[in-house]
Amino acid sequence: MRIETLRWVNNHLEMIDQRVLPEVFEYVSCHDGIEVATAIKDMVVRGAPAIGVAAAYGVALEALAKQDESSRTFDESIGLVIEVLGKSRPTAVNLHWAIQRMKNQWLAFNETLSQADKAMHLLKLAHEIFNEDIVTNKRIGLHGSQLVVNNSRILTHCNAGALATAGHGTALGVFRSAAESGKKITVFVGETRPFLQGARLTAWEMLEENIPCTLITDNMSGHLMSQGEIDCVIVGTDRVAANGDVANKIGTYMVAVLAERHNIPFYVACPLSTVDLEVATGLDIPIEERAAEEVTGFGDRRWAPLSVSVRNPSFDITPASLVSGLITEKGVIFEPTKYKISKLLSSGINE
Ligand code: MRU
């Protein structure tokens, strides 16, 4: 089954509302770039590659919406939307990577082009970024599925699936590709407090795909590992520093430490657009801090005392030393280092 997380319909962008899945399956429509930025901020769409693709469409939508305005309004609107989209979420670097590609295209326009033509070129590039993401994820899936042994029990955290990308998924793309190649796997899904991306989104995706899965709360993973019930861990990532340190959903670091303690391989599915050579180590990656209400309750239900003080960092850093391999579209970087990452980045595609 193909999950259309983002779709371009009648000159606007539609996105599955991931705040209400799996209870409600519905699309939210965006007609300009500011609406896309709001949808990213509000978590209608989430997951590093998906927010990058959505932001690219956001720039194109803004150009389409303002193509009949004066050249000053047209340029100012695009400049503003690029800024607003760039601030919508801080940790995932794919967002900035996609916006930068759109900005470079915009800056390179020949002034003889009409605004309508500029808008069409921006839309074409957004479609390209969308399509490239699916191709990348399928390559990650093929490389990653070679690491998966038949009958594996694999733990994942958060949602790095079709819902987090333009399609197929990164970590969940590995599960899809392994299942397609005939391997039997069971996916253990960490619930992923506080936003429940595992319980709500990954469990839903695996059920849609008929891939056997078992939901656990985040504090059960150590016990299952100690009982020999987990064979490997595969997660996604929001940003990888030049030295191989990995930012991913809060709780990932804890799983990586436990995996090392139990000699279980810990892999990170990582499109190369997620590697940020401008940050030397994970210490330099900005960590989003989200609202206290996500920790004190869920939805309309509050269970913590009103006056309690709360922390809600949404991501953590897993040091490269705990990562068995980065599964990229160009192949797997085992025990990643700065040298191995930069070598792979400058090499051709390894099909
Ligand atoms: O806060 P979210 O839901 O956007 O966080 C998503 C994750 O942490 C994913 O694991 C990561 O973006 C990789 S998605 C392919």
Side-chain angles (χ1 to χ4, degrees):
M1 180 222 170
R2 170 146 149 64
I3 297 170
E4 289 184 294
T5 301
L6 300 162
R7 63 184 189 197
W8 184 255
V9 188
N10 296 332
N11 265 351
H12 67 269
L13 182 66
E14 294 189 343
M15 41 182 88
I16 297 176
D17 190 345
Q18 300 193 32
R19 298 166 303 181
V20 293
L21 269 179
E23 273 178 309
V24 180
F25 182 91
E26 66 187 16
Y27 279 88
V28 166
S29 299
C30 294
H31 298 85
D32 63 34
I34 299 294
E35 284 181 7
V36 174
T38 307
I40 293 172
K41 199 168 184 312
D42 293 349
M43 307 282 278
V44 173
V45 61
R46 31 66 51 201
I51 63 177
V53 174
Y57 277 114
V59 177
L61 269 173
E62 192 64 20
L64 285 167
K66 301 283 161 42
Q67 60 184 334
D68 295 327
E69 304 282 342
S70 69
S71 65
R72 190 171 161 183
T73 307
F74 182 74
D75 285 342
E76 279 178 3
S77 303
I78 295 178
L80 177 71
V81 101
I82 284 175
E83 203 186 314
V84 175
L85 283 163
K87 288 185 182 153
S88 55
R89 292 196 72 193
T91 304
V93 77
N94 311 57
L95 179 74
H96 306 283
W97 170 87
I99 294 172
Q100 193 58 47
R101 280 183 70 180
M102 298 299 285
K103 188 173 175 179
N104 291 346
Q105 163 84 293
W106 178 50
L107 294 175
F109 280 141
N110 182 326
E111 272 321 303
T112 58
L113 273 182
S114 70
Q115 288 178 179
D117 282 343
K118 288 180 184 174
M120 285 322 291
H121 281 297
L122 288 171
L123 179 60
K124 188 166 165 272
L125 180 55
H127 287 323
E128 269 169 39
I129 292 173
F130 176 97
N131 290 323
E132 278 170 20
D133 187 53
I134 299 177
V135 171
T136 296
N137 296 337
K138 291 203 167 155
R139 287 197 172 117
I140 288 174
L142 287 180
H143 290 301
S145 65
Q146 286 164 26
L147 301 169
V148 171
V149 176
N150 196 26
N151 293 317
S152 289
R153 296 151 305 171
I154 310 169
L155 175 66
T156 192
H157 190 65
C158 194
N159 172 268
L163 287 168
T165 61
H168 199 68
T170 61
L172 270 56
V174 174
F175 309 155
R176 284 193 165 87
S177 298
E180 277 162 23
S181 72
K183 286 179 183 161
K184 292 205 180 350
I185 56 167
T186 296
V187 178
F188 280 82
V189 180
E191 154 183 66
T192 319
R193 276 277 291 144
F195 205 71
L196 307 182
Q197 288 94 329
R200 296 188 304 106
L201 308 177
T202 296
W204 178 80
E205 261 198 71
M206 293 293 89
L207 291 173
E208 289 289 307
E209 201 71 59
N210 285 321
I211 295 178
C213 72
T214 301
L215 177 64
I216 59 170
T217 62
D218 301 326
N219 51 1
M220 294 174 186
S221 49
H223 172 68
L224 291 189
M225 287 182 188
S226 73
Q227 300 292 305
E229 290 190 47
I230 304 290
D231 301 306
C232 90
V233 179
I234 306 182
V235 296
T237 173
D238 287 79
R239 195 184 300 218
V240 175
N243 71 341
D245 290 352
V246 168
N248 193 45
K249 182 51 56 195
I250 192 77
T252 304
Y253 171 52
M254 191 175 71
V255 173
V257 171
L258 285 166
E260 189 196 41
R261 171 79 176 82
H262 295 96
N263 275 319
I264 294 168
F266 178 91
Y267 293 111
V268 178
C270 164
L272 292 172
S273 56
T274 310
V275 177
D276 185 355
L277 295 180
E278 286 181 14
V279 298
T281 74
L283 287 175
D284 304 320
I285 297 177
I287 301 291
E288 179 179 11
E289 191 88 23
R290 294 186 57 84
E293 290 70 33
E294 289 183 356
V295 176
T296 53
F298 190 82
D300 298 332
R301 176 102 165 79
R302 184 189 172 102
W303 47 71
L306 275 174
S307 55
V308 71
S309 117
V310 170
R311 282 290 313 277
N312 187 13
S314 193
F315 298 91
D316 60 26
I317 305 296
T318 298
S321 58
L322 296 181
V323 177
S324 313
L326 295 174
I327 308 168
T328 79
E329 63 270 37
K330 287 187 178 180
V332 183
I333 308 176
F334 292 99
E335 292 169 9
T337 59
K338 187 174 175 186
Y339 172 74
K340 290 183 195 172
I341 292 172
S342 56
K343 195 166 161 225
L344 189 86
L345 276 170
S346 52
S347 72
I349 288 278
N350 174 14
E351 296 276 358

